[in-house]
Amino acid sequence: FRVCNEIQGIGALEVVHNGLLSKIIGVGDKPIIETLCESCGQCVAKCPTGALIAKEFKLPEKEVRTLCPYCGTGCGIYLGVVGEEVVGVRGDPENPVNKGSLCVKGRFGFEFINHSERLSSPLIRRNGKLSEASWDEALDLVARKLAEYKGEEVAVISSAKCTNEENYLAQKFARTVLGSNNVDHCARLCHASTVVGLAQSFGSGAMTNSINEIGNAACIFAIGTNTTADHPIIGLKVRKAVKSGAKLIVANPREIDLCRIAHLWLRHLPGTDVALLMGMMRVIVDEGLMDSSFITERCENFAAFKNALEPFDLDYVAQITGVPGEQVAKAARLYATNKPATILYSMGITQHTHGTDNVLAIANLALLTGSIGKPATGVNPLRGQNNVQGACDMGALPNFYPGYQRVDDPKAKEKFQAAWGYSLSPSHGLTLTEIFQAAYEGQIKALYLIGENPVLSDPDATHVKKALEKLELFVVQDIFLSETARLAHVVLPAASFAEKDGTFTNTERRVQRLRKAIEAIGDSKPDWWITCEIARRIGGKGFDFEHPSQIMEEVAKLTPSYGGIFYERLENAGLQWPCPNREHPGTPILHSERFLTSNGKGCFAPLVYKPPAEIPDDEYPLTLTTERSLYQYHTGTMTRKTNGLNTLRGKELIEMNPADAEALGIAEGEMVKVISRRGEVTAKAKITPISPPGVVCMSFHFAESPTNVLTNPAVDPIAKIPELKVCAVRIEKVLSKKSRKR
């Protein structure tokens, strides 16, 4: 009871009666599944008598300290092992990120590790069907075929689920052996606009502060993030801060869980973030609430930015956003006057055709109030996958070598040519979205894809599938035969996070050790080993590694921000980059004295409001936005292998406001068709005021209802990130067989 209420801040339990008659029940005497319970299992973990125990509990023979494979929070865990089977997970109380706490996925979503559907041997397509092959046969085939293509005809898609070392090798393989900068990964779909926008404003595209500082903030501005669902342990920090007196401002079109404890909820229309933020900043400037000394001493381009605020009076902002002007002004005053103030955001900000502008607007707000470079402040993008920060750091991007050293910078090119012993291309490669379009057009003929499932995760997924089907060579490396892997010519079975060593870099730039707990399932192999084997068989040099620690040593030599990161230094709490040498303690807070721009100053960005690429009309009158469920993850490849998670959320739902449902004659639980200009899917209707009128919401976890068939592939012209958060749809009832006969 106390854990649920005082530590987790959820309040799903209550005590009734007194003394010997007292008992703990679900709030309102409801079954626990009908309360606010998030199934985090913390009550089980902390039960002092052992009266609470997990279902199907097995006492482990040993425990191995490692990292959670889900979101970018980077929680430390212990895997409980019996023989070669993972039988349980508990939080690592010594890990500085989660301090023993875990969410429902981190604690219970481990059944995929030993699942019967794990890939256990290579597969080669013969006569239209995938059949088992030996490693030598599969690797020889891949190497021979890849060697036939020119650099501009081939691409590599790396993975935010893989380790730093594996992402480093993937981009090195693409650039050296294949001669191509056509290398990217799923950051293009989540935080590409963060990398571009924050680099322009601050000189670095990463989270500026540390997770544990959130609990010490006096004001938290959470915009475009459903934190308690997507990053539950970070959500705990927000709850802690509010309980300690912090002011919480939530800006979200949907009434997310954080709205329950928010001091102010700004329910703006999807895609109107720039107008909302510029309106807040106009109030701050007009009322003299900015930090003038900080602006003068540490920033540039303020005059141009101030001029750009002129159109954003409260009436104009209210007209665009749907938020009353007095609420916009109240938010501005709360953020500017309660210090230290921190900003949290996620894909509700980034996944837009103006995603870079959204990020720049957030950076402007922090600069304007001097809320950066100090404890419990900053601009803090919350990364979606466990190693999406690390994959970016390692250069799995078409325009950057490791450490964000530009491929078109002659000095950087010379440095990596000398280190790797290859002549490198000075031209930017294709982004993820461009790779698929190029494949569709026949420009990209061969694709090596590692640990991603774009047939479900990418916008306009039908077009993505058609593009993949046009490839002459499609190689997929994964732990399951995903919807994407089923289209491959060769499938290479990879080891899971529990079966290999390496490092992950979490959302706060903390590099931590991943440790092998069991032997690889069947004949699967670590991703780093597979990439090295392919490279060597093509004749590549510089891929003779025997352990991931050797790969990290090479990373440290070539990547200034990782210069002091070695395995022996990561045994305890990990290290936050930049960590330039072996003596450096790491950097919890960025930009304390100067920004990482060329002149050391933060740069204000003048902005204008741009509407979404696709807005509702008579034919498609509703706006579809997407989000993630607390109980499933990404395309469900891992979480849907866990029965308990499927019990909590096992099917796609289309959440719609009661007013929209009534107008369309749709009842709770009815099957409906959701139709966009790109395709249609069916899902069960969930009638809820969480979604405002005119806005419907789906996740993208379920292959049976592939939501991304609907979404818009239009991209931000700078970051090339697609507009996954806004598209126009209509909804129709699915007629029963009896109705169709009539």
Side-chain angles (χ1 to χ4, degrees):
F1 169 76
R2 291 188 63 193
V3 166
C4 185
N5 286 269
E6 297 176 21
I7 297 177
Q8 301 301 106
I10 296 170
L13 304 173
E14 64 181 348
V15 178
V16 294
H17 309 310
N18 296 313
L20 294 175
L21 298 177
S22 65
K23 65 176 182 177
I24 298 173
I25 62 173
V27 168
D29 204 17
K30 295 179 181 178
I32 195 69
I33 199 169
E34 296 179 16
T35 69
L36 293 172
C37 176
E38 296 178 352
S39 298
C40 65
Q42 202 66 358
C43 57
V44 176
K46 297 298 182 182
C47 179
T49 66
L52 297 177
I53 193 168
K55 290 183 179 180
E56 301 178 8
F57 172 78
K58 293 182 181 179
L59 186 68
E61 295 173 345
K62 67 173 183 177
E63 288 188 317
V64 178
R65 188 185 189 195
T66 187
L67 301 172
C68 179
Y70 288 110
C71 78
T73 304
C75 294
I77 61 175
Y78 279 93
L79 291 181
V81 177
V82 173
E84 294 299 328
E85 180 186 5
V86 174
V87 298
V89 178
R90 70 177 177 92
D92 178 0
E94 302 301 318
N95 186 283
V97 176
N98 59 312
K99 300 178 180 178
S101 294
L102 291 175
C103 75
V104 59
K105 293 189 292 291
R107 190 180 303 280
F108 299 114
F110 62 87
E111 291 180 18
F112 74 91
I113 299 168
N114 292 97
H115 199 274
S116 60
E117 294 178 15
R118 279 285 305 277
L119 289 169
S120 59
S121 64
L123 304 174
I124 293 176
R125 188 171 298 279
R126 298 183 177 101
N127 300 318
K129 294 184 178 180
L130 290 169
S131 57
E132 289 191 5
S134 69
W135 270 109
D136 282 337
E137 185 181 9
L139 292 170
D140 285 344
L141 175 62
V142 171
R144 185 175 71 253
K145 289 288 188 180
L146 281 176
E148 294 174 0
Y149 296 99
K150 300 176 183 176
E152 65 270 17
E153 296 176 325
V154 66
V156 173
I157 295 176
S158 193
S159 177
K161 306 302 297 174
C162 290
T163 64
N164 287 319
E165 295 79 3
E166 290 163 342
N167 278 283
Y168 173 82
L169 289 181
Q171 61 83 36
K172 179 182 179 181
F173 172 65
R175 293 187 159 106
T176 59
V177 179
L178 301 182
S180 176
N181 282 328
N182 296 334
V183 57
D184 207 355
H185 72 290
C186 71
R188 190 64 50 192
L189 304 178
C190 58
H191 275 286
S193 38
T194 287
V195 174
V196 173
L198 294 189
Q200 179 179 326
S201 296
F202 303 153
S204 169
M207 185 168 172
T208 63
N209 289 63
S210 300
I211 291 169
N212 283 311
E213 295 173 37
I214 296 168
N216 299 321
C219 180
I220 299 169
F221 183 21
I223 180 169
T225 168
N226 188 358
T227 318
T228 56
D230 298 341
H231 302 88
I233 302 306
I234 297 179
L236 289 182
K237 313 297 182 184
V238 177
R239 288 173 175 148
K240 173 189 172 185
V242 172
K243 191 174 181 180
S244 298
K247 306 297 183 184
L248 173 61
I249 307 164
V250 174
N252 200 301
R254 288 169 45 79
E255 190 176 3
I256 61 173
D257 178 68
L258 283 181
C259 294
R260 292 192 300 120
I261 59 172
H263 294 80
L264 181 62
W265 171 32
L266 306 176
R267 191 173 208 171
H268 61 304
L269 296 172
T272 62
D273 306 274
V274 165
L276 177 68
L277 292 161
M278 293 292 275
M280 288 176 60
M281 290 183 280
R282 167 78 184 266
V283 171
I284 290 170
V285 170
D286 287 350
E287 297 186 4
L289 301 177
M290 63 275 198
D291 188 333
S292 298
S293 59
F294 183 89
I295 294 168
T296 300
E297 295 168 10
R298 298 201 54 195
C299 303
E300 63 179 358
N301 208 35
F302 177 71
F305 159 74
K306 184 178 178 181
N307 289 336
L309 292 176
E310 186 61 31
F312 291 93
D313 61 76
L314 292 178
D315 289 340
Y316 175 66
V317 171
Q319 179 184 348
I320 291 175
T321 65
V323 179
E326 60 269 22
Q327 289 191 18
V328 177
K330 183 178 180 180
R333 295 172 191 133
L334 278 173
Y335 177 78
T337 59
N338 290 275
K339 295 187 176 182
T342 187
I343 302 173
L344 309 179
Y345 75 87
S346 194
M347 283 166 271
I349 282 293
T350 59
Q351 289 178 333
H352 295 272
T353 48
H354 48 267
T356 300
D357 285 354
N358 287 351
V359 173
L360 289 170
I362 287 173
N364 286 340
L365 180 59
L367 292 174
L368 186 65
T369 55
S371 296
I372 192 163
K374 306 160 190 171
T377 66
V379 172
N380 298 298
L382 307 181
R383 303 287 180 160
Q385 295 211 42
N386 58 308
N387 200 36
V388 72
Q389 180 65 60
C392 292
D393 297 345
M394 294 299 103
L397 298 166
N399 54 337
F400 290 114
Y401 297 121
Y404 308 97
Q405 299 169 84
R406 299 187 63 87
V407 300
D408 58 2
D409 179 351
K411 290 184 179 179
K413 177 171 167 284
E414 290 173 10
K415 170 183 174 179
F416 283 93
Q417 284 186 159
W420 290 340
Y422 283 85
S423 177
L424 303 176
S425 170
S427 302
H428 288 189
L430 299 177
T431 64
L432 184 75
T433 47
E434 292 169 335
I435 286 170
F436 291 127
Q437 184 59 33
Y440 184 80
E441 295 172 356
Q443 176 189 338
I444 294 294
K445 296 179 171 61
L447 175 61
Y448 174 33
L449 183 146
I450 305 169
E452 293 294 344
N453 193 12
V455 166
L456 289 187
S457 64
D458 289 36
D460 195 4
T462 301
H463 182 72
V464 171
K465 185 177 179 181
K466 290 178 180 178
L468 295 175
E469 290 171 340
K470 291 192 174 190
L471 290 165
E472 295 176 6
L473 176 65
F474 183 29
V475 181
V476 172
Q477 196 166 295
D478 212 327
I479 63 173
F480 289 103
L481 192 65
S482 68
E483 289 74 17
T484 301
R486 291 170 194 161
L487 304 175
H489 300 109
V490 183
V491 179
L492 304 174
S496 77
F497 83 104
E499 299 149 25
K500 60 188 178 184
D501 291 299
T503 59
F504 291 153
T505 303
N506 77 344
T507 192
E508 63 177 359
R509 299 169 282 106
R510 186 182 298 275
V511 185
Q512 301 184 93
R513 275 294 316 277
L514 182 76
R515 296 175 179 87
K516 181 177 178 179
I518 60 173
E519 292 300 320
I521 298 296
D523 204 17
S524 61
K525 304 289 184 183
D527 292 276
W528 66 268
W529 182 92
I530 302 172
T531 302
C532 286
E533 281 296 314
I534 297 172
R536 285 197 292 263
R537 287 168 195 248
I538 301 178
K541 53 189 176 182
F543 292 87
D544 297 318
F545 298 103
E546 296 180 356
H547 190 269
S549 61
Q550 298 169 332
I551 306 170
M552 183 52 71
E553 289 173 5
E554 182 170 310
V555 170
K557 291 177 183 176
L558 296 172
T559 310
S561 57
Y562 278 66
I565 293 177
F566 298 89
Y567 275 36
E568 62 268 25
R569 299 193 68 203
L570 302 178
E571 287 304 314
N572 295 316
L575 290 165
Q576 288 172 272
W577 68 258
C579 181
N581 55 60
R582 283 186 177 272
E583 290 70 43
H584 198 281
T587 309
I589 302 172
L590 294 180
H591 319 305
S592 296
E593 297 178 0
R594 67 188 309 275
F595 291 94
L596 298 176
T597 53
S598 57
N599 62 4
K601 292 196 171 186
C603 184
F604 281 100
L607 300 170
V608 298
Y609 168 69
K610 302 167 188 171
E614 188 175 79
I615 57 177
D617 56 20
D618 292 340
E619 187 177 3
Y620 301 97
L622 300 170
T623 296
L624 169 68
T625 191
T626 60
E627 69 169 17
R628 298 184 181 191
S629 165
L630 170 64
Y631 304 109
Q632 294 291 348
Y633 184 75
H634 209 51
T635 61
T637 308
M638 300 189 301
T639 49
R640 295 194 70 192
K641 306 298 189 297
T642 298
N643 292 329
L645 296 178
N646 290 328
T647 299
L648 294 167
R649 177 68 182 271
K651 293 182 179 179
E652 185 60 85
L653 302 173
I654 172 74
E655 297 191 13
M656 55 193 307
N657 188 272
D660 294 325
E662 184 178 2
L664 293 168
I666 294 170
E668 175 76 18
E670 278 194 296
M671 294 301 294
V672 298
K673 277 197 294 189
V674 189
I675 306 165
S676 78
R677 289 178 172 85
R678 290 153 292 279
E680 63 180 55
V681 301
T682 58
K684 184 179 288 188
K686 180 176 177 60
I687 314 305
T688 171
I690 289 174
S691 285
V695 176
V696 297
C697 182
M698 299 175 72
S699 71
F700 61 102
H701 307 307
F702 303 96
E704 302 89 338
S705 301
T707 300
N708 280 314
V709 164
L710 306 169
T711 48
N712 192 354
V715 298
D716 180 310
I718 303 171
K720 307 296 183 182
I721 189 171
E723 190 150 69
L724 289 159
K725 282 292 179 277
V726 180
C727 79
V729 299
R730 69 173 184 268
I731 294 178
E732 299 176 358
K733 296 179 70 169
V734 174
L735 298 177
S736 66
K737 291 181 180 179
K738 290 182 180 180
S739 299
R740 288 198 293 269
K741 287 179 180 178
R742 291 174 191 162

